[in-house]
Amino acid sequence: MVDAADVAVVTGAAGGVGRMIAQALADRGRDLLLIDRLPGALDEARRRLEDGYDVHVGTRVCDLGSAEAVRTLGAELARDARVGALVNNAGAWTAGDQYPDAAPDAWWSAMTVNLLAPMLLTQSLWPTLASVGGAVVNVGSSGGTGDDAYASPEYGAAKAGLRRFTTSLGARSDVRVTAVVPGWIGLDRAVREWHALSPRARADAGGLVPPARVVDAVVRLIERGQPGEVVELEGDWVPEPRP
Ligand SMILES: NC(=O)c1ccc[n+]([C@@H]2O[C@H](COP(=O)([O-])OP(=O)(O)OC[C@H]3O[C@@H](n4cnc5c(N)ncnc54)[C@H](O)[C@@H]3O)[C@@H](O)[C@H]2O)c1
């Protein structure tokens, strides 16, 4: 059974890994608040979860790349006394050109969705989470680790910042702030892209991270993660050749 406080907030929950994380949490009996910028996909995710599990699922449409929208959402969440976990999963590259070719508004929005929104939502929910020994899981990326050149400087910088944000809070045990840092995740579209690579590009890319491994890590971090804990997940799964 789940405590009354055990609503989990999942951002970017209408698709990709976020939707799978929401499903795993519903499977464990947690009520959910799903946040995404896509109203149709969000509604469909809610319906499927409510059909499949005995949980309550709320939704909130929000563009987490908009500082104003994030502040409004943060103020709303601060009033919700039932939240026990926050998964800052939403993340995105700048659409089109990357820094320094992207316009400032475009890469600023990427910094917001990948770093500033997780910080603001974490802060907004801090008193609520602290009152129930709650947890935050930030979904980072291997693109934010190391010193190699990277195709999206703003994404790399934001994800590096998200990781350091997590570890910097390692001394705070009132809310357990943790992170999972995956390499290329083997979602269906990634498998298609991987198959389209040349053999040499595949060798350079290495393998993929099975999505279930990301989901399992997030669930474990919510339940038993230590403050400041970072789980790195390297891609070692090579999809079967297509028949
Ligand atoms: N896919 C990968 O290979 C990979 C690798 C490493 C890290 N990550 C990270 O994992 C997380 C999930 O990745 P994914 O591939 O499932 O993501 P995705 O691109 O499939 O998007 C997941 C959801 O986030 C939502 N979203 C995107 N931008 C948003 C915004 N501005 N406001 C609100 N919602 C928004 C999308 O609408 C979508 O429903 C992200 O933080 C991503 O950076 C992904």
Side-chain angles (χ1 to χ4, degrees):
M1 275 302 290
V2 170
D3 293 335
D6 266 354
V7 174
V9 177
V10 183
T11 69
V17 180
R19 190 160 162 165
M20 299 169 76
I21 292 168
Q23 185 177 342
L25 293 173
D27 191 42
R28 300 177 86 80
R30 284 198 184 242
D31 289 343
L32 291 160
L33 174 59
L34 312 180
I35 297 169
D36 207 285
R37 66 177 168 184
L38 301 176
L42 199 52
D43 209 41
E44 197 210 318
R46 178 188 60 73
R47 270 189 279 112
R48 282 183 181 250
L49 288 170
E50 286 186 335
D51 287 349
Y53 304 94
D54 186 19
V55 294
H56 180 264
V57 183
T59 58
R60 173 69 160 78
V61 177
C62 180
D63 178 0
L64 295 164
S66 155
E68 196 185 337
V70 172
R71 281 174 182 272
T72 303
L73 175 65
E76 283 172 23
L77 290 182
R79 293 193 290 271
D80 191 337
R82 297 188 61 226
V83 177
L86 167 66
V87 183
N88 284 311
N89 164 75
W93 280 37
T94 308
D97 288 339
Q98 308 299 301
Y99 184 98
D101 304 312
D105 281 353
W107 64 259
W108 208 281
S109 169
M111 295 299 292
T112 303
V113 65
N114 289 301
L115 178 60
L116 301 179
M119 291 180 69
L120 196 282
L121 299 186
T122 299
Q123 186 174 39
S124 302
L125 282 168
W126 197 280
T128 307
L129 292 169
S131 71
V132 295
V136 175
V137 183
N138 296 312
V139 181
S141 166
S142 58
T145 302
D147 298 317
D148 292 342
Y150 191 66
S152 177
E154 61 273 47
Y155 182 84
K159 291 295 193 183
L162 187 62
R163 181 183 183 132
R164 193 70 185 103
F165 166 65
T166 302
T167 55
S168 297
L169 286 165
R172 292 293 299 255
S173 56
D174 45 345
V175 177
R176 293 171 294 113
V177 180
T178 64
V180 57
V181 176
W184 196 7
I185 302 171
L187 296 163
D188 290 348
R189 67 168 185 265
V191 171
R192 282 195 300 275
E193 287 166 13
W194 193 89
H195 278 299
L197 294 175
S198 68
R200 181 164 180 182
R202 275 185 208 166
D204 287 348
L208 304 173
V209 181
R213 209 185 294 163
V214 182
V215 174
D216 289 349
V218 170
V219 170
R220 186 190 68 73
L221 287 169
I222 289 175
E223 294 178 351
R224 301 188 300 283
Q226 298 302 306
E229 183 174 348
V230 174
V231 176
E232 287 190 359
L233 299 173
E234 284 175 32
D236 56 8
W237 171 55
V238 175
E240 294 294 319
R242 274 185 295 205

